Amino acid sequence: MNTLFGMYHTIGVSLSALVLITFLLAGTVKGMIGMGLPTVAMGLLGLAMLPAQAAALLIVPSMFTNVWQLMAGGHLRGLIRRLWPVLTMICVGTFAGSLWLGIGSGKSMGHALGAALLVYALCGLFLPTLKVPPAAERWLGPLCGLITGIITSATGVFVIPVVPYIQGLGLDRNELVQALGLSFTISTLALGAGLFWNGELGGSEIGASILALIPALLGMMIGQWLRRRISAIWFRRVFFIGMAALGVHLMIAG
């Protein structure tokens, strides 16, 4: 029990409340648009704690919700055959980045997190859906996976450039949702391994992450309820504008 609540005792009541509210909001975003939980969590928690602490907190909520997303649909085997080079290079990039960079505590990592959020938001707002030619998958997929892994190891954000790449493969909606869940699951596992290697993920952090799963799941239910009642296009636009504002703030403040 001490392990389960230890990190929350250490960070205090105010920061603990921020963690719970953040994962409620992050879960709502994921329930609404099918992604965004780690990005929202890293962006908001990055305002008040070190990126490594924020990344450790998101491991269990991200893993659980992405496996849930991954298991929906019947395309898993085919997606693994198609995406294994990307997934492999995500792991390689994350492990290499964890040895080389790691999620540090300096202002430079806060700036890097802000830059990643801003690029992600600008891509979501302005970048048209890419069309990846089948012939390009052989080299572009591993390259996107490697870059995504390196960015993941430094910032805890694992959406750039792999999300635009997967969206450009011409998958149908169910395949796309499952493919994103597969990519995010592998990224979460690789990030967790990198944090553990660098001594940033122990019993206290895992316990705190388990508790963060509760508001994340509640938020997902709220998001699914909202999805039936408001425009998903409007919600996505507001989400990306918010991520851009967070990114700019973190780039300035570090």
Side-chain angles (χ1 to χ4, degrees):
M1 189 65 83
N2 288 336
T3 299
L4 199 61
F5 291 96
M7 186 174 178
Y8 293 107
H9 285 305
T10 301
I11 64 178
V13 175
S14 298
L15 202 48
S16 296
L18 173 64
V19 170
L20 298 179
I21 293 170
T22 292
F23 278 100
L24 180 67
L25 178 59
T28 301
V29 171
K30 185 168 181 69
M32 184 68 193
I33 65 175
M35 61 181 183
L37 187 150
T39 313
V40 172
M42 287 300 301
L44 292 178
L45 294 179
L47 297 172
M49 61 174 58
L50 300 177
Q53 289 179 299
L57 283 169
L58 71 82
I59 293 297
V60 173
S62 178
M63 189 68 200
F64 188 92
T65 56
N66 285 317
V67 169
W68 184 356
Q69 180 176 335
L70 168 64
M71 299 310 294
H75 310 285
L76 182 58
R77 185 174 298 178
L79 289 171
I80 291 174
R81 281 199 302 266
R82 185 171 185 180
L83 296 176
W84 73 263
V86 184
L87 304 176
T88 300
M89 294 310 293
I90 286 175
C91 294
V92 171
T94 304
F95 296 150
S98 296
L99 294 174
W100 174 37
L101 297 170
I103 300 183
S105 59
K107 278 196 171 185
S108 61
M109 290 306 173
H111 296 319
L113 173 58
L117 293 176
L118 180 60
V119 170
Y120 174 53
L122 292 177
C123 288
L125 286 169
F126 302 114
L127 186 70
T129 301
L130 301 176
K131 299 295 183 183
V132 179
E137 288 185 42
R138 184 174 301 177
W139 63 269
L140 185 58
L143 178 61
C144 288
L146 179 65
I147 296 172
T148 298
I150 293 172
I151 293 173
T152 297
S153 70
T155 67
V157 174
F158 37 76
V159 291
I160 295 294
V162 75
V163 169
Y165 170 80
I166 291 176
Q167 289 173 334
L169 294 178
L171 304 173
D172 67 36
R173 188 178 186 281
N174 291 331
E175 287 178 318
L176 176 61
V177 169
Q178 197 168 15
L180 291 173
L182 177 60
S183 172
F184 297 158
T185 298
I186 296 300
S187 293
T188 303
L189 285 170
L191 176 61
L195 289 169
F196 180 78
W197 176 268
N198 287 323
E200 302 284 359
L201 186 63
S204 178
E205 289 80 12
I206 292 173
S209 186
I210 290 172
L211 289 178
L213 176 62
I214 298 171
L217 292 177
L218 178 59
M220 281 191 68
M221 289 188 287
I222 294 172
Q224 290 168 349
W225 180 83
L226 287 173
R227 187 169 57 193
R228 296 189 293 269
R229 288 163 175 80
I230 66 176
S231 167
I233 296 175
W234 176 86
F235 189 91
R236 285 174 66 90
R237 189 173 296 122
V238 171
F239 164 67
F240 284 124
I241 291 172
M243 287 296 98
L246 269 177
V248 170
H249 176 81
L250 286 168
M251 287 177 68
I252 294 170

PDB file of all heavy atoms in Angstrom, residues 199-233:
ATOM      1  N   GLY A 199      16.623   3.998 -14.362  1.00  0.00           N
ATOM      2  CA  GLY A 199      16.284   4.141 -12.962  1.00  0.00           C
ATOM      3  C   GLY A 199      15.150   5.098 -12.680  1.00  0.00           C
ATOM      4  O   GLY A 199      14.991   5.578 -11.546  1.00  0.00           O
ATOM      5  N   GLU A 200      14.308   5.380 -13.693  1.00  0.00           N
ATOM      6  CA  GLU A 200      13.210   6.325 -13.530  1.00  0.00           C
ATOM      7  C   GLU A 200      11.871   5.641 -13.278  1.00  0.00           C
ATOM      8  O   GLU A 200      10.852   6.319 -13.102  1.00  0.00           O
ATOM      9  CB  GLU A 200      13.089   7.212 -14.789  1.00  0.00           C
ATOM     10  CG  GLU A 200      14.337   7.995 -15.150  1.00  0.00           C
ATOM     11  CD  GLU A 200      14.558   9.194 -14.255  1.00  0.00           C
ATOM     12  OE1 GLU A 200      13.716   9.432 -13.362  1.00  0.00           O
ATOM     13  OE2 GLU A 200      15.575   9.889 -14.430  1.00  0.00           O
ATOM     14  N   LEU A 201      11.836   4.314 -13.301  1.00  0.00           N
ATOM     15  CA  LEU A 201      10.588   3.583 -13.144  1.00  0.00           C
ATOM     16  C   LEU A 201      10.779   2.482 -12.108  1.00  0.00           C
ATOM     17  O   LEU A 201      11.349   1.428 -12.402  1.00  0.00           O
ATOM     18  CB  LEU A 201      10.152   2.977 -14.485  1.00  0.00           C
ATOM     19  CG  LEU A 201       8.783   2.288 -14.519  1.00  0.00           C
ATOM     20  CD1 LEU A 201       7.673   3.291 -14.233  1.00  0.00           C
ATOM     21  CD2 LEU A 201       8.551   1.625 -15.874  1.00  0.00           C
ATOM     22  N   GLY A 202      10.300   2.749 -10.895  1.00  0.00           N
ATOM     23  CA  GLY A 202      10.386   1.785  -9.808  1.00  0.00           C
ATOM     24  C   GLY A 202       9.012   1.473  -9.251  1.00  0.00           C
ATOM     25  O   GLY A 202       7.983   1.821  -9.838  1.00  0.00           O
ATOM     26  N   GLY A 203       8.970   0.837  -8.099  1.00  0.00           N
ATOM     27  CA  GLY A 203       7.710   0.430  -7.498  1.00  0.00           C
ATOM     28  C   GLY A 203       6.788   1.594  -7.187  1.00  0.00           C
ATOM     29  O   GLY A 203       5.571   1.519  -7.407  1.00  0.00           O
ATOM     30  N   SER A 204       7.339   2.676  -6.690  1.00  0.00           N
ATOM     31  CA  SER A 204       6.534   3.847  -6.358  1.00  0.00           C
ATOM     32  C   SER A 204       5.887   4.442  -7.602  1.00  0.00           C
ATOM     33  O   SER A 204       4.697   4.790  -7.603  1.00  0.00           O
ATOM     34  CB  SER A 204       7.408   4.898  -5.666  1.00  0.00           C
ATOM     35  OG  SER A 204       6.669   6.062  -5.374  1.00  0.00           O
ATOM     36  N   GLU A 205       6.666   4.552  -8.691  1.00  0.00           N
ATOM     37  CA  GLU A 205       6.130   5.120  -9.934  1.00  0.00           C
ATOM     38  C   GLU A 205       5.074   4.205 -10.558  1.00  0.00           C
ATOM     39  O   GLU A 205       4.051   4.683 -11.054  1.00  0.00           O
ATOM     40  CB  GLU A 205       7.266   5.352 -10.936  1.00  0.00           C
ATOM     41  CG  GLU A 205       8.212   6.485 -10.589  1.00  0.00           C
ATOM     42  CD  GLU A 205       9.259   6.098  -9.558  1.00  0.00           C
ATOM     43  OE1 GLU A 205       9.393   4.877  -9.284  1.00  0.00           O
ATOM     44  OE2 GLU A 205       9.938   6.999  -9.038  1.00  0.00           O
ATOM     45  N   ILE A 206       5.313   2.886 -10.503  1.00  0.00           N
ATOM     46  CA  ILE A 206       4.329   1.952 -11.059  1.00  0.00           C
ATOM     47  C   ILE A 206       3.030   2.010 -10.255  1.00  0.00           C
ATOM     48  O   ILE A 206       1.931   2.002 -10.821  1.00  0.00           O
ATOM     49  CB  ILE A 206       4.901   0.522 -11.078  1.00  0.00           C
ATOM     50  CG1 ILE A 206       6.048   0.439 -12.096  1.00  0.00           C
ATOM     51  CG2 ILE A 206       3.820  -0.497 -11.422  1.00  0.00           C
ATOM     52  CD1 ILE A 206       6.792  -0.877 -12.077  1.00  0.00           C
ATOM     53  N   GLY A 207       3.146   2.080  -8.922  1.00  0.00           N
ATOM     54  CA  GLY A 207       1.956   2.200  -8.089  1.00  0.00           C
ATOM     55  C   GLY A 207       1.161   3.450  -8.406  1.00  0.00           C
ATOM     56  O   GLY A 207      -0.072   3.419  -8.532  1.00  0.00           O
ATOM     57  N   ALA A 208       1.857   4.574  -8.558  1.00  0.00           N
ATOM     58  CA  ALA A 208       1.181   5.825  -8.902  1.00  0.00           C
ATOM     59  C   ALA A 208       0.536   5.734 -10.276  1.00  0.00           C
ATOM     60  O   ALA A 208      -0.565   6.263 -10.508  1.00  0.00           O
ATOM     61  CB  ALA A 208       2.183   6.979  -8.862  1.00  0.00           C
ATOM     62  N   SER A 209       1.183   5.058 -11.212  1.00  0.00           N
ATOM     63  CA  SER A 209       0.646   4.897 -12.552  1.00  0.00           C
ATOM     64  C   SER A 209      -0.601   4.020 -12.552  1.00  0.00           C
ATOM     65  O   SER A 209      -1.555   4.281 -13.290  1.00  0.00           O
ATOM     66  CB  SER A 209       1.722   4.309 -13.467  1.00  0.00           C
ATOM     67  OG  SER A 209       1.289   4.266 -14.802  1.00  0.00           O
ATOM     68  N   ILE A 210      -0.607   2.992 -11.700  1.00  0.00           N
ATOM     69  CA  ILE A 210      -1.792   2.135 -11.584  1.00  0.00           C
ATOM     70  C   ILE A 210      -2.989   2.947 -11.106  1.00  0.00           C
ATOM     71  O   ILE A 210      -4.099   2.830 -11.636  1.00  0.00           O
ATOM     72  CB  ILE A 210      -1.507   0.954 -10.634  1.00  0.00           C
ATOM     73  CG1 ILE A 210      -0.516  -0.024 -11.281  1.00  0.00           C
ATOM     74  CG2 ILE A 210      -2.800   0.221 -10.277  1.00  0.00           C
ATOM     75  CD1 ILE A 210      -0.025  -1.107 -10.355  1.00  0.00           C
ATOM     76  N   LEU A 211      -2.785   3.800 -10.108  1.00  0.00           N
ATOM     77  CA  LEU A 211      -3.880   4.624  -9.613  1.00  0.00           C
ATOM     78  C   LEU A 211      -4.353   5.633 -10.662  1.00  0.00           C
ATOM     79  O   LEU A 211      -5.533   5.967 -10.721  1.00  0.00           O
ATOM     80  CB  LEU A 211      -3.455   5.359  -8.341  1.00  0.00           C
ATOM     81  CG  LEU A 211      -3.283   4.491  -7.089  1.00  0.00           C
ATOM     82  CD1 LEU A 211      -2.816   5.331  -5.913  1.00  0.00           C
ATOM     83  CD2 LEU A 211      -4.589   3.783  -6.740  1.00  0.00           C
ATOM     84  N   ALA A 212      -3.430   6.108 -11.495  1.00  0.00           N
ATOM     85  CA  ALA A 212      -3.806   7.056 -12.551  1.00  0.00           C
ATOM     86  C   ALA A 212      -4.698   6.405 -13.600  1.00  0.00           C
ATOM     87  O   ALA A 212      -5.372   7.110 -14.365  1.00  0.00           O
ATOM     88  CB  ALA A 212      -2.552   7.629 -13.212  1.00  0.00           C
ATOM     89  N   LEU A 213      -4.708   5.077 -13.641  1.00  0.00           N
ATOM     90  CA  LEU A 213      -5.567   4.379 -14.594  1.00  0.00           C
ATOM     91  C   LEU A 213      -7.048   4.635 -14.301  1.00  0.00           C
ATOM     92  O   LEU A 213      -7.865   4.678 -15.226  1.00  0.00           O
ATOM     93  CB  LEU A 213      -5.273   2.875 -14.537  1.00  0.00           C
ATOM     94  CG  LEU A 213      -6.134   1.951 -15.409  1.00  0.00           C
ATOM     95  CD1 LEU A 213      -5.957   2.293 -16.892  1.00  0.00           C
ATOM     96  CD2 LEU A 213      -5.760   0.485 -15.156  1.00  0.00           C
ATOM     97  N   ILE A 214      -7.399   4.835 -13.038  1.00  0.00           N
ATOM     98  CA  ILE A 214      -8.818   5.009 -12.670  1.00  0.00           C
ATOM     99  C   ILE A 214      -9.412   6.252 -13.324  1.00  0.00           C
ATOM    100  O   ILE A 214     -10.440   6.157 -14.025  1.00  0.00           O
ATOM    101  CB  ILE A 214      -8.971   5.045 -11.135  1.00  0.00           C
ATOM    102  CG1 ILE A 214      -8.509   3.717 -10.533  1.00  0.00           C
ATOM    103  CG2 ILE A 214     -10.428   5.336 -10.752  1.00  0.00           C
ATOM    104  CD1 ILE A 214      -8.413   3.723  -9.020  1.00  0.00           C
ATOM    105  N   PRO A 215      -8.826   7.449 -13.141  1.00  0.00           N
ATOM    106  CA  PRO A 215      -9.409   8.609 -13.846  1.00  0.00           C
ATOM    107  C   PRO A 215      -9.290   8.513 -15.359  1.00  0.00           C
ATOM    108  O   PRO A 215     -10.137   9.045 -16.079  1.00  0.00           O
ATOM    109  CB  PRO A 215      -8.602   9.794 -13.292  1.00  0.00           C
ATOM    110  CG  PRO A 215      -7.339   9.209 -12.762  1.00  0.00           C
ATOM    111  CD  PRO A 215      -7.709   7.859 -12.258  1.00  0.00           C
ATOM    112  N   ALA A 216      -8.245   7.827 -15.857  1.00  0.00           N
ATOM    113  CA  ALA A 216      -8.107   7.679 -17.305  1.00  0.00           C
ATOM    114  C   ALA A 216      -9.273   6.873 -17.888  1.00  0.00           C
ATOM    115  O   ALA A 216      -9.844   7.239 -18.927  1.00  0.00           O
ATOM    116  CB  ALA A 216      -6.781   7.008 -17.642  1.00  0.00           C
ATOM    117  N   LEU A 217      -9.659   5.781 -17.230  1.00  0.00           N
ATOM    118  CA  LEU A 217     -10.780   4.971 -17.704  1.00  0.00           C
ATOM    119  C   LEU A 217     -12.100   5.723 -17.574  1.00  0.00           C
ATOM    120  O   LEU A 217     -12.961   5.644 -18.465  1.00  0.00           O
ATOM    121  CB  LEU A 217     -10.843   3.657 -16.925  1.00  0.00           C
ATOM    122  CG  LEU A 217      -9.702   2.672 -17.176  1.00  0.00           C
ATOM    123  CD1 LEU A 217      -9.857   1.436 -16.293  1.00  0.00           C
ATOM    124  CD2 LEU A 217      -9.649   2.270 -18.643  1.00  0.00           C
ATOM    125  N   LEU A 218     -12.267   6.465 -16.476  1.00  0.00           N
ATOM    126  CA  LEU A 218     -13.466   7.285 -16.319  1.00  0.00           C
ATOM    127  C   LEU A 218     -13.544   8.323 -17.436  1.00  0.00           C
ATOM    128  O   LEU A 218     -14.611   8.558 -18.023  1.00  0.00           O
ATOM    129  CB  LEU A 218     -13.457   7.965 -14.949  1.00  0.00           C
ATOM    130  CG  LEU A 218     -14.635   8.908 -14.647  1.00  0.00           C
ATOM    131  CD1 LEU A 218     -15.959   8.162 -14.729  1.00  0.00           C
ATOM    132  CD2 LEU A 218     -14.468   9.544 -13.268  1.00  0.00           C
ATOM    133  N   GLY A 219     -12.397   8.940 -17.740  1.00  0.00           N
ATOM    134  CA  GLY A 219     -12.358   9.907 -18.825  1.00  0.00           C
ATOM    135  C   GLY A 219     -12.705   9.282 -20.168  1.00  0.00           C
ATOM    136  O   GLY A 219     -13.410   9.888 -20.990  1.00  0.00           O
ATOM    137  N   MET A 220     -12.241   8.067 -20.418  1.00  0.00           N
ATOM    138  CA  MET A 220     -12.574   7.395 -21.676  1.00  0.00           C
ATOM    139  C   MET A 220     -14.079   7.187 -21.814  1.00  0.00           C
ATOM    140  O   MET A 220     -14.639   7.375 -22.903  1.00  0.00           O
ATOM    141  CB  MET A 220     -11.842   6.054 -21.777  1.00  0.00           C
ATOM    142  CG  MET A 220     -10.393   6.167 -22.184  1.00  0.00           C
ATOM    143  SD  MET A 220      -9.651   4.556 -22.587  1.00  0.00           S
ATOM    144  CE  MET A 220     -10.539   4.125 -24.090  1.00  0.00           C
ATOM    145  N   MET A 221     -14.729   6.826 -20.728  1.00  0.00           N
ATOM    146  CA  MET A 221     -16.187   6.649 -20.778  1.00  0.00           C
ATOM    147  C   MET A 221     -16.879   7.979 -21.062  1.00  0.00           C
ATOM    148  O   MET A 221     -17.839   8.047 -21.839  1.00  0.00           O
ATOM    149  CB  MET A 221     -16.680   6.031 -19.472  1.00  0.00           C
ATOM    150  CG  MET A 221     -16.288   4.582 -19.296  1.00  0.00           C
ATOM    151  SD  MET A 221     -17.058   3.788 -17.863  1.00  0.00           S
ATOM    152  CE  MET A 221     -16.128   4.539 -16.519  1.00  0.00           C
ATOM    153  N   ILE A 222     -16.375   9.051 -20.446  1.00  0.00           N
ATOM    154  CA  ILE A 222     -16.937  10.381 -20.710  1.00  0.00           C
ATOM    155  C   ILE A 222     -16.718  10.762 -22.173  1.00  0.00           C
ATOM    156  O   ILE A 222     -17.620  11.278 -22.840  1.00  0.00           O
ATOM    157  CB  ILE A 222     -16.290  11.433 -19.783  1.00  0.00           C
ATOM    158  CG1 ILE A 222     -16.671  11.164 -18.325  1.00  0.00           C
ATOM    159  CG2 ILE A 222     -16.711  12.851 -20.184  1.00  0.00           C
ATOM    160  CD1 ILE A 222     -15.924  12.025 -17.329  1.00  0.00           C
ATOM    161  N   GLY A 223     -15.509  10.492 -22.699  1.00  0.00           N
ATOM    162  CA  GLY A 223     -15.213  10.812 -24.082  1.00  0.00           C
ATOM    163  C   GLY A 223     -16.094  10.051 -25.058  1.00  0.00           C
ATOM    164  O   GLY A 223     -16.549  10.609 -26.071  1.00  0.00           O
ATOM    165  N   GLN A 224     -16.342   8.781 -24.775  1.00  0.00           N
ATOM    166  CA  GLN A 224     -17.205   7.985 -25.646  1.00  0.00           C
ATOM    167  C   GLN A 224     -18.632   8.505 -25.615  1.00  0.00           C
ATOM    168  O   GLN A 224     -19.334   8.497 -26.642  1.00  0.00           O
ATOM    169  CB  GLN A 224     -17.131   6.516 -25.226  1.00  0.00           C
ATOM    170  CG  GLN A 224     -15.789   5.869 -25.539  1.00  0.00           C
ATOM    171  CD  GLN A 224     -15.611   4.513 -24.881  1.00  0.00           C
ATOM    172  OE1 GLN A 224     -16.404   4.110 -24.021  1.00  0.00           O
ATOM    173  NE2 GLN A 224     -14.561   3.805 -25.254  1.00  0.00           N
ATOM    174  N   TRP A 225     -19.064   8.982 -24.442  1.00  0.00           N
ATOM    175  CA  TRP A 225     -20.388   9.587 -24.335  1.00  0.00           C
ATOM    176  C   TRP A 225     -20.442  10.884 -25.137  1.00  0.00           C
ATOM    177  O   TRP A 225     -21.417  11.146 -25.859  1.00  0.00           O
ATOM    178  CB  TRP A 225     -20.698   9.842 -22.856  1.00  0.00           C
ATOM    179  CG  TRP A 225     -22.036  10.473 -22.613  1.00  0.00           C
ATOM    180  CD1 TRP A 225     -23.249   9.855 -22.542  1.00  0.00           C
ATOM    181  CD2 TRP A 225     -22.291  11.875 -22.403  1.00  0.00           C
ATOM    182  NE1 TRP A 225     -24.241  10.773 -22.302  1.00  0.00           N
ATOM    183  CE2 TRP A 225     -23.684  12.022 -22.210  1.00  0.00           C
ATOM    184  CE3 TRP A 225     -21.478  13.004 -22.346  1.00  0.00           C
ATOM    185  CZ2 TRP A 225     -24.286  13.255 -21.973  1.00  0.00           C
ATOM    186  CZ3 TRP A 225     -22.070  14.245 -22.112  1.00  0.00           C
ATOM    187  CH2 TRP A 225     -23.453  14.364 -21.930  1.00  0.00           C
ATOM    188  N   LEU A 226     -19.397  11.709 -25.036  1.00  0.00           N
ATOM    189  CA  LEU A 226     -19.360  12.972 -25.766  1.00  0.00           C
ATOM    190  C   LEU A 226     -19.311  12.760 -27.271  1.00  0.00           C
ATOM    191  O   LEU A 226     -19.848  13.553 -28.045  1.00  0.00           O
ATOM    192  CB  LEU A 226     -18.134  13.791 -25.339  1.00  0.00           C
ATOM    193  CG  LEU A 226     -18.182  14.443 -23.953  1.00  0.00           C
ATOM    194  CD1 LEU A 226     -16.829  15.061 -23.620  1.00  0.00           C
ATOM    195  CD2 LEU A 226     -19.274  15.513 -23.912  1.00  0.00           C
ATOM    196  N   ARG A 227     -18.630  11.689 -27.699  1.00  0.00           N
ATOM    197  CA  ARG A 227     -18.453  11.423 -29.129  1.00  0.00           C
ATOM    198  C   ARG A 227     -19.785  11.269 -29.838  1.00  0.00           C
ATOM    199  O   ARG A 227     -19.915  11.578 -31.026  1.00  0.00           O
ATOM    200  CB  ARG A 227     -17.605  10.170 -29.322  1.00  0.00           C
ATOM    201  CG  ARG A 227     -17.220   9.898 -30.773  1.00  0.00           C
ATOM    202  CD  ARG A 227     -16.166   8.819 -30.863  1.00  0.00           C
ATOM    203  NE  ARG A 227     -16.603   7.586 -30.240  1.00  0.00           N
ATOM    204  CZ  ARG A 227     -15.804   6.562 -29.944  1.00  0.00           C
ATOM    205  NH1 ARG A 227     -14.502   6.652 -30.197  1.00  0.00           N
ATOM    206  NH2 ARG A 227     -16.277   5.481 -29.393  1.00  0.00           N
ATOM    207  N   ARG A 228     -20.797  10.812 -29.120  1.00  0.00           N
ATOM    208  CA  ARG A 228     -22.121  10.632 -29.721  1.00  0.00           C
ATOM    209  C   ARG A 228     -22.937  11.926 -29.711  1.00  0.00           C
ATOM    210  O   ARG A 228     -24.040  11.956 -30.247  1.00  0.00           O
ATOM    211  CB  ARG A 228     -22.875   9.529 -28.971  1.00  0.00           C
ATOM    212  CG  ARG A 228     -22.234   8.152 -29.073  1.00  0.00           C
ATOM    213  CD  ARG A 228     -23.124   7.071 -28.502  1.00  0.00           C
ATOM    214  NE  ARG A 228     -23.296   7.195 -27.062  1.00  0.00           N
ATOM    215  CZ  ARG A 228     -22.513   6.602 -26.156  1.00  0.00           C
ATOM    216  NH1 ARG A 228     -21.492   5.850 -26.572  1.00  0.00           N
ATOM    217  NH2 ARG A 228     -22.729   6.758 -24.867  1.00  0.00           N
ATOM    218  N   ARG A 229     -22.388  12.986 -29.101  1.00  0.00           N
ATOM    219  CA  ARG A 229     -23.180  14.193 -28.903  1.00  0.00           C
ATOM    220  C   ARG A 229     -22.583  15.472 -29.470  1.00  0.00           C
ATOM    221  O   ARG A 229     -23.293  16.455 -29.643  1.00  0.00           O
ATOM    222  CB  ARG A 229     -23.442  14.387 -27.396  1.00  0.00           C
ATOM    223  CG  ARG A 229     -24.446  13.375 -26.857  1.00  0.00           C
ATOM    224  CD  ARG A 229     -24.417  13.266 -25.346  1.00  0.00           C
ATOM    225  NE  ARG A 229     -25.482  12.378 -24.876  1.00  0.00           N
ATOM    226  CZ  ARG A 229     -25.387  11.050 -24.896  1.00  0.00           C
ATOM    227  NH1 ARG A 229     -24.296  10.462 -25.357  1.00  0.00           N
ATOM    228  NH2 ARG A 229     -26.402  10.314 -24.470  1.00  0.00           N
ATOM    229  N   ILE A 230     -21.273  15.493 -29.734  1.00  0.00           N
ATOM    230  CA  ILE A 230     -20.666  16.696 -30.294  1.00  0.00           C
ATOM    231  C   ILE A 230     -19.821  16.329 -31.513  1.00  0.00           C
ATOM    232  O   ILE A 230     -19.466  15.163 -31.707  1.00  0.00           O
ATOM    233  CB  ILE A 230     -19.808  17.456 -29.263  1.00  0.00           C
ATOM    234  CG1 ILE A 230     -18.596  16.629 -28.846  1.00  0.00           C
ATOM    235  CG2 ILE A 230     -20.620  17.852 -28.052  1.00  0.00           C
ATOM    236  CD1 ILE A 230     -17.658  17.372 -27.908  1.00  0.00           C
ATOM    237  N   SER A 231     -19.489  17.334 -32.288  1.00  0.00           N
ATOM    238  CA  SER A 231     -18.738  17.117 -33.523  1.00  0.00           C
ATOM    239  C   SER A 231     -17.302  16.683 -33.230  1.00  0.00           C
ATOM    240  O   SER A 231     -16.557  17.380 -32.532  1.00  0.00           O
ATOM    241  CB  SER A 231     -18.724  18.403 -34.348  1.00  0.00           C
ATOM    242  OG  SER A 231     -17.775  18.334 -35.380  1.00  0.00           O
ATOM    243  N   ALA A 232     -16.911  15.540 -33.779  1.00  0.00           N
ATOM    244  CA  ALA A 232     -15.536  15.063 -33.592  1.00  0.00           C
ATOM    245  C   ALA A 232     -14.540  16.000 -34.277  1.00  0.00           C
ATOM    246  O   ALA A 232     -13.425  16.198 -33.786  1.00  0.00           O
ATOM    247  CB  ALA A 232     -15.391  13.644 -34.137  1.00  0.00           C
ATOM    248  N   ILE A 233     -14.945  16.571 -35.418  1.00  0.00           N
ATOM    249  CA  ILE A 233     -14.050  17.490 -36.134  1.00  0.00           C
ATOM    250  C   ILE A 233     -13.773  18.726 -35.289  1.00  0.00           C
ATOM    251  O   ILE A 233     -12.626  19.170 -35.162  1.00  0.00           O
ATOM    252  CB  ILE A 233     -14.666  17.890 -37.488  1.00  0.00           C
ATOM    253  CG1 ILE A 233     -14.784  16.654 -38.393  1.00  0.00           C
ATOM    254  CG2 ILE A 233     -13.846  18.989 -38.157  1.00  0.00           C
ATOM    255  CD1 ILE A 233     -15.494  16.919 -39.700  1.00  0.00           C
TER     256      ILE A 233
END
